[in-house]
Amino acid sequence: MINELLFMNGYGVYVLSAFSFTLLSFSALYLITKVQFIKEQNKFVAKFGSLNSEKAKSAKSQRINKEILANATNN
Amino acid sequence: MFKLLNPNKIFQVTSKAPKYILFLFVVVLSVGLTEALILSPEDYKQSDAVRIMYVHVPAAWISLGIFSSITFLSISGFIFKNKNFFLIAKSLAPSGFVFNIIALVTGAIWGKPTWGTWWAWDARITSMLILALFYAMYLISWRIYESEEKVFKITTFITILGIVNVPIIKYSVDWWNTLHQPASINILSKSSIHISMLFPLLIMTAAFALFSLLIFLMKYNTELIKIKNKGLDRL
């Protein structure tokens, strides 16, 4: 059964390499995008941490900034 | 209506959505792979080589769909003077480009057992390669130009030039005598594909669409955080 599935009447090498290439491309794109996201998120947290209390209060008045910080702590 | 497209409001949804989309993608992809590799029948002519269709065709469809959306969004961004349209278009481009590359590579792998060659300068294949070049130019433009105004103009110009190629890709198999087979699925007329093959193809298309949505959301969130980082610098 497994041999049949892998051999595919002699086309296994073509079929499996096409599927493997697709899945590898998906994994690479996902990882690159995730790394970029985490990098920007960490940069935001570091910058936010360096603000004085007045500026931090003003920045926190924006809902999106609060969301970014909340997501960063959840991750 | 454009108030709904306010990034501050959108982020509330886009920041939470990726984990659910990822879960749904894994489920749909697992069903799709089982159907495509095990349950679907082999073709009477191509035998098991036909299974490559389940990754090749959805990848080509989605790369064409994304490029058309990018063009629409870029032109809309200019007409309505809304930067968010450009941001959405920019976030869609990486997955569109990767799907285009997948369509080209899996097409080459499919070509070897069916046509006896990895590559042919056939109208359909060449026009898909040209689309990949337009995607590359679009993505490179975002990297090399600093000025917002300039990058909006240049990327819109690239998409307008590139969209001319989309109907050429679609109708190349009808207009010219090509090695590539004509479309088996038609929305307006009867499709020549059997339901036992159409079903896995649609599931794989849904999985690929979910993956492009996932990458789009992650990329869009990254772009929004980048803008907010610049905002913190100005404080």
Side-chain angles (χ1 to χ4, degrees), chain A residues 1 5 8-9 11 14-19 21-23 25-26 29-30 33-34 36-37 40-41 43-44 47-48 51 55 58-59 62-65 67-68 71, chain B residues 8 11-12 15-16 22 25 33 37-38 42 46-49 51 55 99 102 105-106 109 112-113 208 211 214-215 218-219 221-222 225-226 228-229 232-233 235:
Chain A
M1 167 74 185
L5 187 70
M8 292 186 187
N9 294 315
Y11 294 105
Y14 299 107
V15 175
L16 297 176
S17 52
F19 276 76
F21 179 79
T22 304
L23 297 179
S25 306
F26 278 12
L29 181 62
Y30 178 79
T33 315
K34 185 84 182 167
Q36 285 173 343
F37 174 76
E40 283 303 320
Q41 202 177 37
K43 213 190 271 181
F44 183 87
K47 276 184 186 177
F48 202 91
L51 295 176
K55 283 179 180 176
S58 145
Q62 281 191 36
R63 196 189 274 176
I64 187 167
N65 290 343
E67 289 273 345
I68 296 168
N71 284 338
Chain B
N8 290 309
F11 191 78
Q12 280 177 275
S15 62
K16 291 179 183 72
L22 178 64
F25 162 68
L33 287 175
L37 290 172
I38 303 167
E42 59 190 70
Q46 296 189 36
S47 185
D48 280 295
R51 295 183 198 281
V55 285
F99 278 118
I102 291 172
V105 172
T106 55
I109 296 170
K112 187 64 183 165
F208 283 24
F211 182 74
L214 172 71
I215 297 298
M218 287 166 69
K219 189 81 190 146
N221 290 341
T222 309
I225 298 174
K226 256 186 206 173
K228 289 294 151 189
N229 271 333
L232 287 185
D233 288 337
L235 273 177

Side-chain angles (χ1 to χ4, degrees), chain B residues 176-195:
Chain B
W176 295 288
N177 190 13
T178 61
L179 201 55
H180 197 284
Q181 68 174 66
S184 306
I185 297 164
N186 295 299
I187 297 168
L188 300 174
S189 57
K190 198 172 181 284
S191 297
S192 57
I193 188 170
H194 191 263
I195 187 76

Side-chain angles (χ1 to χ4, degrees), chain B residues 87-100:
Chain B
L87 210 60
I88 297 171
K90 184 187 177 187
S91 310
L92 278 168
S95 59
F97 180 60
V98 167
F99 278 118
N100 196 332

Side-chain angles (χ1 to χ4, degrees), chain B:
Chain B
M1 189 190 100
F2 293 140
K3 278 183 183 172
L4 289 173
L5 286 173
N6 180 349
N8 290 309
K9 285 185 180 164
I10 289 179
F11 191 78
Q12 280 177 275
V13 179
T14 58
S15 62
K16 291 179 183 72
K19 54 187 171 195
Y20 301 109
I21 303 289
L22 178 64
F23 174 74
L24 202 58
F25 162 68
V26 172
V27 172
V28 177
L29 183 72
S30 307
V31 176
L33 287 175
T34 313
E35 282 283 343
L37 290 172
I38 303 167
L39 301 175
S40 70
E42 59 190 70
D43 185 61
Y44 78 103
K45 237 181 191 175
Q46 296 189 36
S47 185
D48 280 295
V50 77
R51 295 183 198 281
I52 299 173
M53 169 181 75
Y54 301 120
V55 285
H56 174 74
V57 174
W61 280 346
I62 290 174
S63 73
L64 286 171
I66 289 179
F67 197 87
S68 307
S69 309
I70 289 173
T71 309
F72 176 75
L73 287 161
S74 301
I75 295 170
S76 303
F78 253 107
I79 294 171
F80 300 110
K81 307 272 173 231
N82 189 326
K83 281 184 193 174
N84 201 32
F85 283 119
F86 291 103
L87 210 60
I88 297 171
K90 184 187 177 187
S91 310
L92 278 168
S95 59
F97 180 60
V98 167
F99 278 118
N100 196 332
I101 298 297
I102 291 172
L104 284 170
V105 172
T106 55
I109 296 170
W110 199 3
K112 187 64 183 165
T114 49
W115 303 336
T117 181
W118 299 103
W119 185 265
W121 291 102
D122 161 285
R124 170 62 70 83
I125 307 168
T126 309
S127 51
M128 274 305 278
L129 179 67
I130 292 169
L131 183 70
L133 295 177
F134 275 108
Y135 264 122
M137 283 194 284
Y138 179 87
L139 288 166
I140 291 167
S141 300
W142 276 104
R143 281 198 169 259
I144 58 176
Y145 293 105
E146 295 269 318
S147 151
E148 244 181 21
E149 280 300 309
K150 204 172 185 181
V151 78
F152 289 168
K153 277 184 192 163
I154 289 169
T155 52
T156 307
F157 181 66
I158 291 169
T159 58
I160 291 169
L161 281 182
I163 200 73
V164 176
N165 187 40
V166 171
I168 296 175
I169 295 171
K170 169 83 179 96
Y171 296 106
S172 56
V173 287
D174 304 319
W175 292 341
W176 295 288
N177 190 13
T178 61
L179 201 55
H180 197 284
Q181 68 174 66
S184 306
I185 297 164
N186 295 299
I187 297 168
L188 300 174
S189 57
K190 198 172 181 284
S191 297
S192 57
I193 188 170
H194 191 263
I195 187 76
S196 58
M197 288 180 173
L198 181 63
F199 182 62
L201 185 63
L202 294 178
I203 295 177
M204 286 299 276
T205 306
F208 283 24
L210 282 168
F211 182 74
S212 59
L213 177 64
L214 172 71
I215 297 298
F216 160 71
L217 290 170
M218 287 166 69
K219 189 81 190 146
Y220 184 71
N221 290 341
T222 309
E223 292 300 326
L224 286 183
I225 298 174
K226 256 186 206 173
I227 293 171
K228 289 294 151 189
N229 271 333
K230 282 180 190 164
L232 287 185
D233 288 337
R234 283 196 292 268
L235 273 177

